[in-house]
């Protein structure tokens, strides 16, 4: 006799919850979320770029790296032609990759784009077993995977004689949790200002949207954020320099607050033809006690091509490494 299968909705939900729990292991779902699946678009909660990761994600006021498009669309107004790639391996088979690019500032309107991709690997498929009333699971012999991707396209313009900029981005996020798909459109808004030659300020609203929708998994709100940031640069002699970065971050949907802090320093000549720096970052906030708060890293660059590295020690998950490659014309 052929064993009856559980309804497709129940199977899909079970698999989706399994992967939601797996994704929470890398810190993408905050500890205070209402439950597995209540926070949608985990990929939008993962920082992009190896340099940004080493600085704790304090990037709202940064405007010299194409990865800034993920944190504040207004940064695009200042960027030269540039691009960035980054890759990070988490626990098990979970990996994260990012790409960013900008067409170059100096124009009336400048454009940039970014793409984040999360691959949670694959696991053995387990579905409710009707023999036990669905209270137990049984393996089907198949393997299922989980992926999420988010892309955004940004436009920005400068004003006030080049001392300020404003920008906006439109994006789309999609997820596939064991064959159960959800998607949503979102928008970012941002502004930046330069005060003298050393201080930059930034503000942004990120991931504004109606939420992820799916008949099988239900709706889930996007992890919308409000950010205020500052960057202060100081030359140390003729060829050395240092910079400090700070962001205040509010989770609008999750009602959380936190700080992201970072410093970098080393060989930083004014023309940036060559550089070699060390970096240190930290995050302070609610629901992150299980994460490694400190991040370390460094970077070298020659003639517009840079290589970045960051490392983060998670309290329970071990050491996480991220590498990145940046190009700037």
């Amino acid at each position: 006799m052929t064993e009856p299968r559980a309804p497709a909705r129940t199977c899909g939900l079970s698999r989706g919850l399994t992967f939601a729990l797996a994704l929470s292991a890398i810190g993408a779902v905050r500890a205070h979320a209402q439950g597995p699946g209540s926070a949608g678009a985990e990929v939008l909660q993962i920082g992009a770029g190896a340099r940004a990761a080493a600085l704790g994600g304090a990037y709202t006021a940064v405007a010299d790296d194409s990865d800034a498009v993920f944190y504040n669309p207004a940064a695009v107004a200042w960027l030269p032609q540039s691009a960035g790639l980054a890759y990070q391996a988490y626990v098990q088979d979970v990996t994260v990759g990012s790409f960013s690019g900008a067409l170059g500032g100096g124009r009336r309107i400048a454009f940039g784009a970014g793409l984040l991709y999360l691959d949670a690997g694959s696991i053995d498929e387990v579905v409710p077993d009707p023999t036990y009333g669905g209270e137990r699971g049984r393996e089907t012999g198949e393997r299922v995977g989980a992926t999420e991707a988010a892309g955004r396209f940004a436009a920005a313009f400068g004003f006030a004689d080049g001392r300020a900029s404003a920008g906006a981005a439109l994006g789309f996020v999609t997820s596939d949790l064991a064959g159960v798909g959800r998607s949503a459109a979102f928008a970012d808004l941002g502004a930046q200002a330069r005060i003298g030659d050393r201080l930059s300020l930034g503000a942004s609203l990120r991931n504004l949207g109606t939420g992820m929708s799916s008949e099988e998994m239900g709706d889930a709100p996007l992890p919308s954020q409000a950010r205020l940031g500052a960057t202060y640069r100081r030359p140390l002699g003729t060829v050395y320099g240092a910079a400090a970065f700070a962001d205040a971050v509010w989770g609008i949907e999750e009602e959380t607050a936190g700080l992201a802090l970072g410093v970098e320093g080393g060989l930083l000549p004014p023309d940036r033809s060559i550089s070699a720096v060390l970096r240190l970052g930290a995050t302070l906030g609610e629901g992150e006690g299980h994460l490694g708060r400190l991040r370390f890293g460094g970077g070298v660059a020659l003639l517009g091509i840079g290589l970045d590295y960051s490392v983060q020690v998670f309290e329970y998950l071990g050491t996480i490494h991220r590498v990145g490659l940046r190009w700037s014309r």
Side-chain angles (χ1 to χ4, degrees):
M1 178 180 295
T2 302
E3 189 178 57
R5 292 184 60 86
R9 174 183 171 86
T10 304
C11 297
L13 179 59
S14 175
R15 286 176 261 162
L17 294 181
T18 300
F19 271 109
L21 290 170
L23 293 176
S24 70
I26 65 173
V29 179
R30 303 303 180 195
H32 57 271
Q34 296 176 358
S38 64
E42 286 81 4
V43 70
L44 292 177
Q45 302 185 56
I46 299 174
R51 181 190 178 207
L55 296 173
Y59 242 51
T60 305
V62 170
D64 60 357
D65 178 358
S66 62
D67 286 334
V69 70
F70 293 104
Y71 301 86
N72 190 341
V76 174
W78 316 113
L79 293 174
Q81 290 185 3
S82 54
L85 291 169
Y87 174 82
Q88 181 163 342
Y90 279 91
V91 294
Q92 300 298 327
D93 298 325
V94 180
T95 59
V96 175
S98 66
F99 168 79
S100 62
L103 295 180
R107 306 175 183 179
R108 179 168 298 181
I109 299 180
F111 301 98
L115 176 66
L116 261 172
Y117 184 78
L118 167 65
D119 186 343
S122 61
I123 61 174
D124 293 329
E125 182 183 41
V126 178
V127 299
D129 191 339
T131 304
Y132 298 95
E135 297 296 325
R136 299 183 183 182
R138 64 176 178 83
E139 295 187 2
T140 66
E142 303 291 333
R143 292 185 66 81
V144 291
T147 59
E148 286 195 344
R152 48 172 45 88
F153 180 79
F157 65 94
F159 57 96
D161 296 326
R163 296 190 303 272
S165 67
L170 295 177
F172 189 78
V173 58
T174 180
S175 71
D176 185 324
L177 301 180
V180 179
R182 292 196 290 189
S183 61
F186 64 90
D188 300 339
L189 301 173
Q192 287 187 343
R194 295 176 173 177
I195 301 175
D197 296 329
R198 298 182 180 181
L199 179 63
S200 298
L201 304 177
S204 67
L205 293 171
R206 302 175 63 244
N207 311 326
L208 304 176
T210 58
M212 304 281 282
S213 61
S214 168
E215 292 184 359
E216 293 182 289
M217 287 284 287
D219 296 341
L222 294 180
S224 54
Q225 282 185 348
R227 303 175 70 102
L228 289 176
T231 298
Y232 181 77
R233 303 183 181 279
R234 181 177 178 83
L236 303 174
T238 57
V239 296
Y240 297 98
F245 309 80
D247 275 16
V249 183
W250 293 272
I252 299 173
E253 182 64 37
E254 298 175 337
E255 299 182 353
T256 60
L259 289 174
L261 306 171
V263 293
E264 70 176 9
L267 179 63
L268 283 169
D271 62 3
R272 299 293 181 95
S273 59
I274 184 173
S275 65
V277 299
L278 295 177
R279 302 182 179 112
L280 172 65
T283 56
L284 305 173
E286 301 176 27
E288 294 187 357
H290 64 298
L291 301 181
R293 298 186 185 276
L294 293 180
R295 299 96 187 273
F296 308 90
V300 294
L302 177 64
L303 301 177
I305 299 177
L307 179 65
D308 298 303
Y309 168 78
S310 69
V311 59
Q312 180 179 4
V313 181
F314 281 69
E315 185 175 347
Y316 302 116
L317 304 181
T319 303
I320 306 299
H321 304 272
R322 184 179 299 199
V323 294
L325 184 66
R326 292 184 290 137
W327 168 81
S328 178
R329 183 172 182 178

PDB file of all heavy atoms in Angstrom, residues 270-291:
ATOM      1  N   PRO A 270      48.553  60.614   0.677  1.00  0.00           N
ATOM      2  CA  PRO A 270      47.436  61.395   0.140  1.00  0.00           C
ATOM      3  C   PRO A 270      46.938  60.919  -1.222  1.00  0.00           C
ATOM      4  O   PRO A 270      45.742  60.965  -1.495  1.00  0.00           O
ATOM      5  CB  PRO A 270      48.019  62.815   0.069  1.00  0.00           C
ATOM      6  CG  PRO A 270      49.085  62.828   1.111  1.00  0.00           C
ATOM      7  CD  PRO A 270      49.678  61.464   1.102  1.00  0.00           C
ATOM      8  N   ASP A 271      47.833  60.459  -2.096  1.00  0.00           N
ATOM      9  CA  ASP A 271      47.395  60.041  -3.429  1.00  0.00           C
ATOM     10  C   ASP A 271      46.844  58.622  -3.455  1.00  0.00           C
ATOM     11  O   ASP A 271      46.320  58.164  -4.476  1.00  0.00           O
ATOM     12  CB  ASP A 271      48.531  60.174  -4.434  1.00  0.00           C
ATOM     13  CG  ASP A 271      49.735  59.292  -4.092  1.00  0.00           C
ATOM     14  OD1 ASP A 271      49.654  58.536  -3.097  1.00  0.00           O
ATOM     15  OD2 ASP A 271      50.740  59.375  -4.814  1.00  0.00           O
ATOM     16  N   ARG A 272      46.955  57.880  -2.328  1.00  0.00           N
ATOM     17  CA  ARG A 272      46.440  56.509  -2.202  1.00  0.00           C
ATOM     18  C   ARG A 272      46.968  55.573  -3.289  1.00  0.00           C
ATOM     19  O   ARG A 272      46.334  54.566  -3.615  1.00  0.00           O
ATOM     20  CB  ARG A 272      44.901  56.501  -2.234  1.00  0.00           C
ATOM     21  CG  ARG A 272      44.243  57.290  -1.116  1.00  0.00           C
ATOM     22  CD  ARG A 272      44.504  56.640   0.234  1.00  0.00           C
ATOM     23  NE  ARG A 272      43.859  57.353   1.316  1.00  0.00           N
ATOM     24  CZ  ARG A 272      42.665  57.041   1.808  1.00  0.00           C
ATOM     25  NH1 ARG A 272      41.986  56.055   1.272  1.00  0.00           N
ATOM     26  NH2 ARG A 272      42.162  57.727   2.804  1.00  0.00           N
ATOM     27  N   SER A 273      48.117  55.881  -3.862  1.00  0.00           N
ATOM     28  CA  SER A 273      48.686  54.999  -4.882  1.00  0.00           C
ATOM     29  C   SER A 273      49.103  53.665  -4.294  1.00  0.00           C
ATOM     30  O   SER A 273      49.154  52.646  -4.984  1.00  0.00           O
ATOM     31  CB  SER A 273      49.880  55.668  -5.557  1.00  0.00           C
ATOM     32  OG  SER A 273      50.875  55.988  -4.588  1.00  0.00           O
ATOM     33  N   ILE A 274      49.411  53.670  -2.997  1.00  0.00           N
ATOM     34  CA  ILE A 274      49.754  52.446  -2.283  1.00  0.00           C
ATOM     35  C   ILE A 274      49.263  52.615  -0.850  1.00  0.00           C
ATOM     36  O   ILE A 274      49.291  53.714  -0.301  1.00  0.00           O
ATOM     37  CB  ILE A 274      51.281  52.179  -2.315  1.00  0.00           C
ATOM     38  CG1 ILE A 274      51.585  50.829  -1.648  1.00  0.00           C
ATOM     39  CG2 ILE A 274      52.064  53.327  -1.674  1.00  0.00           C
ATOM     40  CD1 ILE A 274      53.035  50.410  -1.785  1.00  0.00           C
ATOM     41  N   SER A 275      48.790  51.543  -0.271  1.00  0.00           N
ATOM     42  CA  SER A 275      48.334  51.622   1.122  1.00  0.00           C
ATOM     43  C   SER A 275      48.448  50.260   1.765  1.00  0.00           C
ATOM     44  O   SER A 275      48.387  49.217   1.105  1.00  0.00           O
ATOM     45  CB  SER A 275      46.889  52.123   1.206  1.00  0.00           C
ATOM     46  OG  SER A 275      46.002  51.184   0.611  1.00  0.00           O
ATOM     47  N   ALA A 276      48.621  50.280   3.086  1.00  0.00           N
ATOM     48  CA  ALA A 276      48.655  49.057   3.890  1.00  0.00           C
ATOM     49  C   ALA A 276      48.156  49.427   5.279  1.00  0.00           C
ATOM     50  O   ALA A 276      48.784  50.245   5.968  1.00  0.00           O
ATOM     51  CB  ALA A 276      50.062  48.477   3.958  1.00  0.00           C
ATOM     52  N   VAL A 277      47.017  48.881   5.681  1.00  0.00           N
ATOM     53  CA  VAL A 277      46.385  49.287   6.941  1.00  0.00           C
ATOM     54  C   VAL A 277      45.957  48.079   7.757  1.00  0.00           C
ATOM     55  O   VAL A 277      45.752  46.983   7.233  1.00  0.00           O
ATOM     56  CB  VAL A 277      45.158  50.185   6.677  1.00  0.00           C
ATOM     57  CG1 VAL A 277      45.564  51.457   5.938  1.00  0.00           C
ATOM     58  CG2 VAL A 277      44.088  49.434   5.893  1.00  0.00           C
ATOM     59  N   LEU A 278      45.813  48.312   9.045  1.00  0.00           N
ATOM     60  CA  LEU A 278      45.208  47.358   9.968  1.00  0.00           C
ATOM     61  C   LEU A 278      43.872  47.911  10.413  1.00  0.00           C
ATOM     62  O   LEU A 278      43.687  49.133  10.511  1.00  0.00           O
ATOM     63  CB  LEU A 278      46.116  47.120  11.172  1.00  0.00           C
ATOM     64  CG  LEU A 278      47.461  46.453  10.885  1.00  0.00           C
ATOM     65  CD1 LEU A 278      48.282  46.346  12.168  1.00  0.00           C
ATOM     66  CD2 LEU A 278      47.266  45.069  10.269  1.00  0.00           C
ATOM     67  N   ARG A 279      42.913  47.030  10.728  1.00  0.00           N
ATOM     68  CA  ARG A 279      41.568  47.461  11.090  1.00  0.00           C
ATOM     69  C   ARG A 279      41.069  46.705  12.310  1.00  0.00           C
ATOM     70  O   ARG A 279      41.429  45.548  12.546  1.00  0.00           O
ATOM     71  CB  ARG A 279      40.601  47.238   9.920  1.00  0.00           C
ATOM     72  CG  ARG A 279      41.003  47.969   8.647  1.00  0.00           C
ATOM     73  CD  ARG A 279      40.008  47.771   7.526  1.00  0.00           C
ATOM     74  NE  ARG A 279      40.401  48.504   6.339  1.00  0.00           N
ATOM     75  CZ  ARG A 279      40.804  47.944   5.197  1.00  0.00           C
ATOM     76  NH1 ARG A 279      40.831  46.621   5.091  1.00  0.00           N
ATOM     77  NH2 ARG A 279      41.154  48.688   4.175  1.00  0.00           N
ATOM     78  N   LEU A 280      40.205  47.382  13.061  1.00  0.00           N
ATOM     79  CA  LEU A 280      39.563  46.794  14.232  1.00  0.00           C
ATOM     80  C   LEU A 280      38.131  47.300  14.289  1.00  0.00           C
ATOM     81  O   LEU A 280      37.876  48.494  14.095  1.00  0.00           O
ATOM     82  CB  LEU A 280      40.307  47.189  15.512  1.00  0.00           C
ATOM     83  CG  LEU A 280      39.648  46.809  16.851  1.00  0.00           C
ATOM     84  CD1 LEU A 280      39.589  45.298  17.001  1.00  0.00           C
ATOM     85  CD2 LEU A 280      40.409  47.438  18.008  1.00  0.00           C
ATOM     86  N   GLY A 281      37.179  46.404  14.529  1.00  0.00           N
ATOM     87  CA  GLY A 281      35.775  46.791  14.597  1.00  0.00           C
ATOM     88  C   GLY A 281      35.068  46.103  15.743  1.00  0.00           C
ATOM     89  O   GLY A 281      35.527  45.093  16.282  1.00  0.00           O
ATOM     90  N   ALA A 282      33.930  46.660  16.129  1.00  0.00           N
ATOM     91  CA  ALA A 282      33.134  46.082  17.206  1.00  0.00           C
ATOM     92  C   ALA A 282      31.671  46.422  16.992  1.00  0.00           C
ATOM     93  O   ALA A 282      31.342  47.457  16.405  1.00  0.00           O
ATOM     94  CB  ALA A 282      33.598  46.597  18.565  1.00  0.00           C
ATOM     95  N   THR A 283      30.789  45.551  17.452  1.00  0.00           N
ATOM     96  CA  THR A 283      29.355  45.809  17.425  1.00  0.00           C
ATOM     97  C   THR A 283      28.810  45.656  18.840  1.00  0.00           C
ATOM     98  O   THR A 283      29.176  44.724  19.565  1.00  0.00           O
ATOM     99  CB  THR A 283      28.614  44.845  16.487  1.00  0.00           C
ATOM    100  OG1 THR A 283      28.894  43.486  16.874  1.00  0.00           O
ATOM    101  CG2 THR A 283      29.055  45.052  15.050  1.00  0.00           C
ATOM    102  N   LEU A 284      27.936  46.575  19.213  1.00  0.00           N
ATOM    103  CA  LEU A 284      27.308  46.549  20.520  1.00  0.00           C
ATOM    104  C   LEU A 284      25.808  46.706  20.328  1.00  0.00           C
ATOM    105  O   LEU A 284      25.374  47.649  19.678  1.00  0.00           O
ATOM    106  CB  LEU A 284      27.828  47.699  21.395  1.00  0.00           C
ATOM    107  CG  LEU A 284      29.347  47.782  21.584  1.00  0.00           C
ATOM    108  CD1 LEU A 284      29.709  49.066  22.313  1.00  0.00           C
ATOM    109  CD2 LEU A 284      29.857  46.573  22.349  1.00  0.00           C
ATOM    110  N   GLY A 285      25.019  45.780  20.846  1.00  0.00           N
ATOM    111  CA  GLY A 285      23.580  45.895  20.656  1.00  0.00           C
ATOM    112  C   GLY A 285      22.833  44.729  21.234  1.00  0.00           C
ATOM    113  O   GLY A 285      23.418  43.756  21.701  1.00  0.00           O
ATOM    114  N   GLU A 286      21.507  44.826  21.155  1.00  0.00           N
ATOM    115  CA  GLU A 286      20.632  43.802  21.692  1.00  0.00           C
ATOM    116  C   GLU A 286      20.644  42.571  20.808  1.00  0.00           C
ATOM    117  O   GLU A 286      20.812  42.641  19.597  1.00  0.00           O
ATOM    118  CB  GLU A 286      19.202  44.335  21.788  1.00  0.00           C
ATOM    119  CG  GLU A 286      19.058  45.566  22.664  1.00  0.00           C
ATOM    120  CD  GLU A 286      17.647  46.104  22.639  1.00  0.00           C
ATOM    121  OE1 GLU A 286      16.722  45.311  22.403  1.00  0.00           O
ATOM    122  OE2 GLU A 286      17.472  47.308  22.854  1.00  0.00           O
ATOM    123  N   GLY A 287      20.469  41.421  21.432  1.00  0.00           N
ATOM    124  CA  GLY A 287      20.289  40.186  20.684  1.00  0.00           C
ATOM    125  C   GLY A 287      21.533  39.690  19.997  1.00  0.00           C
ATOM    126  O   GLY A 287      21.448  38.861  19.118  1.00  0.00           O
ATOM    127  N   GLU A 288      22.738  40.170  20.396  1.00  0.00           N
ATOM    128  CA  GLU A 288      23.952  39.738  19.731  1.00  0.00           C
ATOM    129  C   GLU A 288      24.929  39.096  20.701  1.00  0.00           C
ATOM    130  O   GLU A 288      26.118  38.996  20.425  1.00  0.00           O
ATOM    131  CB  GLU A 288      24.616  40.925  19.023  1.00  0.00           C
ATOM    132  CG  GLU A 288      23.781  41.473  17.871  1.00  0.00           C
ATOM    133  CD  GLU A 288      24.530  42.537  17.073  1.00  0.00           C
ATOM    134  OE1 GLU A 288      25.666  42.867  17.457  1.00  0.00           O
ATOM    135  OE2 GLU A 288      23.990  43.004  16.072  1.00  0.00           O
ATOM    136  N   GLY A 289      24.452  38.665  21.856  1.00  0.00           N
ATOM    137  CA  GLY A 289      25.340  38.071  22.826  1.00  0.00           C
ATOM    138  C   GLY A 289      25.985  36.785  22.333  1.00  0.00           C
ATOM    139  O   GLY A 289      27.053  36.405  22.803  1.00  0.00           O
ATOM    140  N   HIS A 290      25.355  36.101  21.374  1.00  0.00           N
ATOM    141  CA  HIS A 290      25.904  34.853  20.866  1.00  0.00           C
ATOM    142  C   HIS A 290      26.876  35.093  19.717  1.00  0.00           C
ATOM    143  O   HIS A 290      27.447  34.147  19.188  1.00  0.00           O
ATOM    144  CB  HIS A 290      24.776  33.948  20.387  1.00  0.00           C
ATOM    145  CG  HIS A 290      24.006  34.500  19.227  1.00  0.00           C
ATOM    146  ND1 HIS A 290      23.301  35.686  19.307  1.00  0.00           N
ATOM    147  CD2 HIS A 290      23.855  34.062  17.954  1.00  0.00           C
ATOM    148  CE1 HIS A 290      22.727  35.930  18.140  1.00  0.00           C
ATOM    149  NE2 HIS A 290      23.054  34.963  17.311  1.00  0.00           N
ATOM    150  N   LEU A 291      27.068  36.349  19.322  1.00  0.00           N
ATOM    151  CA  LEU A 291      27.968  36.662  18.223  1.00  0.00           C
ATOM    152  C   LEU A 291      29.311  37.131  18.751  1.00  0.00           C
ATOM    153  O   LEU A 291      29.438  37.551  19.900  1.00  0.00           O
ATOM    154  CB  LEU A 291      27.368  37.759  17.332  1.00  0.00           C
ATOM    155  CG  LEU A 291      26.015  37.461  16.704  1.00  0.00           C
ATOM    156  CD1 LEU A 291      25.571  38.631  15.851  1.00  0.00           C
ATOM    157  CD2 LEU A 291      26.091  36.204  15.861  1.00  0.00           C
TER     158      LEU A 291
END
